[in-house]
Amino acid sequence: LNSELTKMFVHVSVFVFFFLLGFSMSVYDVTSRSIYLKWPKFSGASSYRVTATPVNTVGQSFLAHFSDVNLKGTLTSLTPNTIYVIQAEAIDKNGIILAETQIMQSTAPDMPVIDHAYSKLSNSITVEWRAVPGAASYLVTAQDGDSFTETTVTNSPGTVTGLKAATLYRITIRSINSGGRSQPSPSRKARTVLAAPILSVSSPSCDSIAVSWKAVYMAVGFSVSLMRSDGLGRMLKENTTNTSLVFTDLDPGTLYTIKAYAWDASGMPGDDFTYNQRTSPRAPADVQVAFNSGTLRAIVSWMPTEGALIYSVIVSNRLLTLKCNSSSSSCTVPSLQCGSEYSVFVIAHNDAGSSKPTVAVSLKTIPCAPGSVSIEEDETGTLLVSWSSVYFSHYYVVFVKSDDGLEVYCNTSHTQCHFQSDCGFTYFISVFAYNEAGQSPLGDVFNYTTAPCCPSDFSTVFVSGDTLEVTWSPVRGAEMYETRAAAEAGTVLCNDTAPACTLSALQCNTQYNVTVYSFSEVRGSNKSCASKYVATAPCSPEIKNISKDALSVISVYWQPNNNDATYSITARGEAGLWHCTSSGNSCTITNLPCGAVFSVSATAKSPAGQSLPSYSVPLETAPCCPTDLTLTQVTQSVTNISWSVGMGAQTYATTLESPKGQAKCHTLQNYCLLGCITCGTNYTVSLKAISETGLTSTCTYQGYSSSACCPSGVKLYRLGNNGIRVHWRASEEVTTFNTDLYGSKGNFTCAPLSGLSHCDITEIPCGDVYTVVVTPATNQGLKLALCPKKIYS
């Protein structure tokens, strides 16, 4: 390898592998003078040859041969801290090189030598040695039996920590570079010093400090020193083989620093332990108590004492103990009880403990609020307020304030007071007790509500047969009103918060005694209110019967059930309104139209008001007769009758009647076909208009005569080439006939003399088809179109 490659790989432990034909080699351990190699078995190789050549260093190469049984090899007797090029060759049994590979590897630095090993702390040992060329760091190992602790340092000295106190360790060092670690140095033995005693410190009094600790392994004695932390005064020091001692005659509330250590049989001191402890404070002086009667609090103050961090104030009596803590020279104690006497103490505290309590200071509080307060009202409008007596009270003051803002008071040494009162007011009453400490706390505020005032101006604004609506002006003190209507049949009540009430379910045509009472939830009802008499409206009449006196006249009958009442009857329909009035039990309505439907009802009216309408009774008048009726003969035996619509009619029944018989028709339509009509006969015509409910109007009209009878047996006879004879049989009623001949070449008529039954028509064109009709002759000269026709050719 050239110099550039050598420089590139300096201080590199493992360099690039060169592989030829799949053969490789690796390093699995390195020491100062040895390199440990391994490689995989190569096919066909019977041995392996390894050569190590130093790089940039004058020295000999090392050659080693290995069989194919063991695929590991060690190169020994190498130079420490030197880079070698290592080449491995796989050789067959004929000595031919099958494959080769090459790596670069550095040896570890030379083994260091320990100069000193010693312990200053119970958990560590410090080691000193001379530096080793090429070493980048050092591995220091402390071994205790099977356990060991290691630490890596960059130079001397090095310290191993995490050790056990008072324990003997075997110390070794290895030097390290990028190539690996050297062999351990020759060992040195060193023992860790004793552990420090763990102190428990307290201040049992304000001038002493007690120190104790547990026994320390391998210790034969202890040294404890004490000094003020601020450096003032002298140091106190004690040597002892015990595990406790007490320092006395110290300054109260002062911070002291305590230091302790143990030594072994050789006199070697171990670790020391330092602890700061303050002596407990002295009791405070000049305790003062100020009482606030308004808040039931006491402000306690005192002179500060040295070293106190916090003060406790204790206020107690036989039933209650209150505490207050403060870091200043005063404290407020809340929630004191009225009517009590307390003893007040102050105690100073710091982290060392508490002082003794101060001498007790006495505290008396204000009296409690009077209890068992009662309020009574007499008939004269006077309120009597009374209460029970209170301990420590010298006199009492009673305040009475009405809800309109007016306030009065009474000052007395007794336990009752009198006050004037009015209706409808709420009075708020407070009773206070007083002594030299001040006014008692506010007790219960009592309210007393007098009876509400009575409504005096109530009136009825609406009256019906079963309802009275009463209104009035609001009155003071009323939360609700009760309206009472009393009669022989019973009493009706109405409760409402509004100054109005509607009394329902009353009896009609009845006089009630009405009273409006005021009511409050606290005081109840004022029963002294005046009443008035009010009558309800008449009862609704009951229609007993309606009679139809004529086509357009009815009479209505009812049961008169009211006093001094006038009755009105109304017939209401689509055609309009019809009325009649009476103070008796019936009245008559006239001029009702035909074919109409009415609802008939009755009302009663008196000075008290008007009743509700009675239940309606339906009334239907007979249907109207049709004004127009027309008869048209369709055939000799069929006649069509039509007519105009009759108001109120649903169906119609028509009749044509003669001595020879009658024809009838019943239909929903306004026309009808009547059969079996006899020709040449006079008929009387009648029609019945029938309503949906079956009411019938019989209508008579002008008589009707059917048409004359047509001749029968009409026959035609030829009379030469241009003439015919028409022959027939005449009916008994008709003696004169007309014969008509109709053709495309002309029309011809023949009128024979009366009594003849034939007629000759001559000079008619030949070669044509003719229609021949024989009809009876009428007085008006009209020709019937009902007679049969004959065809002649």
Side-chain angles (χ1 to χ4, degrees):
L1 297 174
N2 56 26
S3 60
E4 288 78 7
L5 181 62
T6 302
K7 293 178 182 179
M8 185 182 303
F9 288 96
V10 172
H11 305 301
V12 177
S13 60
V14 180
F15 297 89
V16 177
F17 289 98
F18 295 92
F19 299 99
L20 296 174
L21 301 175
F23 183 54
S24 63
M25 176 177 55
S26 62
V27 176
Y28 66 89
D29 196 9
V30 176
T31 64
S32 300
R33 297 182 178 275
S34 302
I35 297 177
Y36 298 86
L37 305 170
K38 61 180 179 178
W39 54 86
K41 183 176 180 61
F42 192 83
S43 177
S46 61
S47 64
Y48 301 90
R49 181 169 58 203
V50 180
T51 303
T53 303
V55 178
N56 292 336
T57 301
V58 177
Q60 63 178 352
S61 299
F62 296 88
L63 178 64
H65 289 270
F66 304 95
S67 67
D68 63 344
V69 177
N70 189 1
L71 300 179
K72 291 182 180 180
T74 304
L75 298 177
T76 60
S77 301
L78 302 178
T79 303
N81 194 36
T82 301
I83 298 175
Y84 286 88
V85 175
I86 303 172
Q87 179 174 308
E89 298 170 325
I91 303 172
D92 65 7
K93 62 183 178 179
N94 297 320
I96 298 174
I97 299 174
L98 301 178
E100 65 179 12
T101 183
Q102 183 175 295
I103 63 173
M104 297 183 73
Q105 175 64 45
S106 173
T107 56
D110 205 357
M111 177 180 64
V113 177
I114 298 175
D115 293 333
H116 301 286
Y118 52 87
S119 173
K120 291 184 178 181
L121 298 175
S122 62
N123 67 340
S124 67
I125 293 176
T126 300
V127 184
E128 296 178 359
W129 64 92
R130 290 186 298 274
V132 176
S137 59
Y138 300 89
L139 179 65
V140 182
T141 303
Q143 186 170 359
D144 172 25
D146 294 333
S147 65
F148 58 89
T149 303
E150 294 180 339
T151 185
T152 301
V153 298
T154 58
N155 49 40
S156 176
T159 300
V160 183
T161 60
L163 306 180
K164 296 183 289 186
T167 303
L168 183 63
Y169 286 92
R170 188 170 66 88
I171 309 300
T172 59
I173 303 176
R174 291 186 180 192
S175 58
I176 304 172
N177 68 1
S178 59
R181 301 177 181 179
S182 71
Q183 291 87 348
S185 68
S187 64
R188 283 285 187 95
K189 292 185 178 180
R191 185 184 298 275
T192 53
V193 298
L194 300 181
I198 305 302
L199 302 182
S200 295
V201 186
S202 64
S203 177
S205 65
C206 65
D207 61 350
S208 65
I209 290 178
V211 185
S212 63
W213 57 90
K214 293 182 179 180
V216 178
Y217 176 66
M218 299 294 290
V220 297
F222 301 93
S223 179
V224 183
S225 62
L226 178 142
M227 187 175 183
R228 284 179 61 128
S229 297
D230 56 9
L232 300 178
R234 63 186 181 87
M235 179 189 295
L236 301 178
K237 185 173 182 180
E238 296 285 344
N239 292 328
T240 181
T241 58
N242 297 324
T243 57
S244 65
L245 57 86
V246 178
F247 294 95
T248 59
D249 297 327
L250 304 180
D251 298 328
T254 302
L255 183 64
Y256 286 88
T257 299
I258 301 101
K259 183 179 290 187
Y261 62 87
W263 66 83
D264 58 14
S266 64
M268 177 67 69
D271 289 348
D272 58 44
F273 185 90
T274 301
Y275 192 90
N276 291 326
Q277 175 65 46
R278 189 182 300 274
T279 53
S280 58
R282 183 179 283 114
D286 193 20
V287 177
Q288 302 290 329
V289 180
F291 178 68
N292 187 325
S293 62
T295 60
L296 282 177
R297 296 181 176 181
I299 301 176
V300 183
S301 60
W302 55 88
M303 292 295 294
T305 185
E306 180 68 26
L309 300 179
I310 193 167
Y311 300 89
S312 295
V313 178
I314 300 174
V315 180
S316 64
N317 58 17
R318 293 179 299 173
L319 302 177
L320 179 67
T321 297
L322 300 175
K323 291 184 179 181
C324 169
N325 295 325
S326 174
S327 59
S328 63
S329 59
S330 65
C331 191
T332 300
V333 181
S335 305
L336 296 176
Q337 291 183 340
C338 58
S340 299
E341 183 175 3
Y342 293 92
S343 296
V344 181
F345 307 89
V346 181
I347 300 174
H349 306 273
N350 62 13
D351 50 4
S354 304
S355 69
K356 294 180 180 180
T358 61
V359 177
V361 177
S362 179
L363 170 63
K364 291 184 179 179
T365 62
I366 58 176
C368 295
S372 301
V373 178
S374 65
I375 304 169
E376 298 178 4
E377 181 183 8
D378 60 19
E379 297 179 356
T380 61
T382 300
L383 294 180
L384 172 63
V385 182
S386 60
W387 57 91
S388 60
S389 61
V390 178
Y391 292 115
F392 304 117
S393 176
H394 294 170
Y395 63 95
Y396 304 92
V397 177
V398 182
F399 295 91
V400 177
K401 185 176 183 178
S402 59
D403 52 10
D404 63 354
L406 181 63
E407 185 175 41
V408 296
Y409 69 93
C410 167
N411 191 331
T412 180
S413 59
H414 301 291
T415 57
Q416 63 179 18
C417 276
H418 292 82
F419 297 91
Q420 291 295 321
S421 63
D422 292 321
C423 68
F425 276 103
T426 297
Y427 294 94
F428 301 93
I429 301 169
S430 302
V431 183
F432 294 92
Y434 292 82
N435 64 8
E436 64 276 4
Q439 175 185 290
S440 68
L442 175 64
D444 293 332
V445 178
F446 297 90
N447 55 30
Y448 184 86
T449 302
T450 56
C453 300
C454 287
S456 59
D457 60 344
F458 76 89
S459 62
T460 54
V461 296
F462 175 77
V463 178
S464 69
D466 60 352
T467 303
L468 293 177
E469 185 177 346
V470 183
T471 62
W472 58 89
S473 299
V475 296
R476 188 176 62 242
E479 298 174 357
M480 183 179 291
Y481 300 93
E482 180 182 83
T483 306
R484 182 186 297 265
E488 292 182 0
T491 302
V492 178
L493 300 177
C494 170
N495 295 317
D496 205 328
T497 56
C501 195
T502 300
L503 296 165
S504 58
L506 303 179
Q507 287 190 348
C508 55
N509 193 41
T510 304
Q511 191 170 28
Y512 284 88
N513 186 9
V514 180
T515 309
V516 180
Y517 298 98
S518 57
F519 179 85
S520 70
E521 185 176 357
V522 175
R523 197 54 52 204
S525 178
N526 190 339
K527 298 297 183 180
S528 62
C529 301
S531 62
K532 294 181 181 180
Y533 283 95
V534 180
T536 55
C539 300
S540 297
E542 181 184 358
I543 296 177
K544 295 295 185 179
N545 185 33
I546 298 177
S547 64
K548 296 180 181 179
D549 299 339
L551 181 64
S552 61
V553 178
I554 62 170
S555 293
V556 182
Y557 300 87
W558 61 87
Q559 179 68 40
N561 51 356
N562 296 289
N563 299 325
D564 301 326
T566 300
Y567 299 91
S568 295
I569 309 301
T570 301
R572 183 186 307 272
E574 294 182 1
L577 299 175
W578 279 259
H579 303 279
C580 68
T581 302
S582 172
S583 60
N585 65 343
S586 67
C587 71
T588 300
I589 298 177
T590 59
N591 298 322
L592 292 176
C594 62
V597 176
F598 296 93
S599 176
V600 181
S601 62
T603 59
K605 188 174 184 180
S606 71
Q610 181 172 310
S611 73
L612 296 174
S614 67
Y615 294 119
S616 296
V617 176
L619 173 68
E620 180 184 1
T621 57
C624 299
C625 289
T627 56
D628 298 324
L629 185 139
T630 303
L631 289 92
T632 303
Q633 187 148 359
V634 179
T635 65
Q636 284 281 293
S637 62
V638 177
T639 298
N640 179 58
I641 304 178
S642 62
W643 53 89
S644 60
V645 176
M647 180 66 67
Q650 184 185 44
T651 62
Y652 302 89
T654 58
T655 303
L656 295 181
E657 189 171 3
S658 71
K660 297 180 179 181
Q662 65 178 0
K664 291 184 178 182
C665 173
H666 194 182
T667 180
L668 289 167
Q669 310 299 328
N670 62 338
Y671 60 87
C672 186
L673 290 175
L674 293 175
C676 301
I677 299 299
T678 305
C679 57
T681 304
N682 293 324
Y683 290 91
T684 59
V685 180
S686 64
L687 181 145
K688 290 183 179 180
I690 305 170
S691 70
E692 186 177 358
T693 60
L695 292 179
T696 303
S697 293
T698 301
C699 309
T700 303
Y701 297 92
Q702 184 178 1
Y704 166 71
S705 298
S706 61
S707 62
C709 296
C710 291
S712 60
V714 176
K715 294 181 179 181
L716 302 178
Y717 299 96
R718 182 186 301 272
L719 297 177
N721 291 330
N722 58 353
I724 62 172
R725 170 172 286 185
V726 181
H727 188 275
W728 59 84
R729 288 194 303 274
S731 61
E732 295 179 358
E733 295 82 0
V734 181
T735 59
T736 304
F737 294 90
N738 291 324
T739 301
D740 294 295
L741 181 69
Y742 305 98
S744 62
K745 296 180 180 181
N747 299 327
F748 302 91
T749 301
C750 174
L753 295 176
S754 178
L756 295 179
S757 59
H758 69 274
C759 182
D760 294 334
I761 301 174
T762 60
E763 297 181 1
I764 60 176
C766 60
D768 197 0
V769 176
Y770 293 94
T771 300
V772 180
V773 180
V774 180
T775 59
T778 63
N779 295 331
Q780 294 82 9
L782 298 177
K783 297 180 180 179
L784 290 179
L786 306 178
C787 295
K789 298 175 182 179
K790 290 285 187 175
I791 303 300
Y792 173 73
S793 175

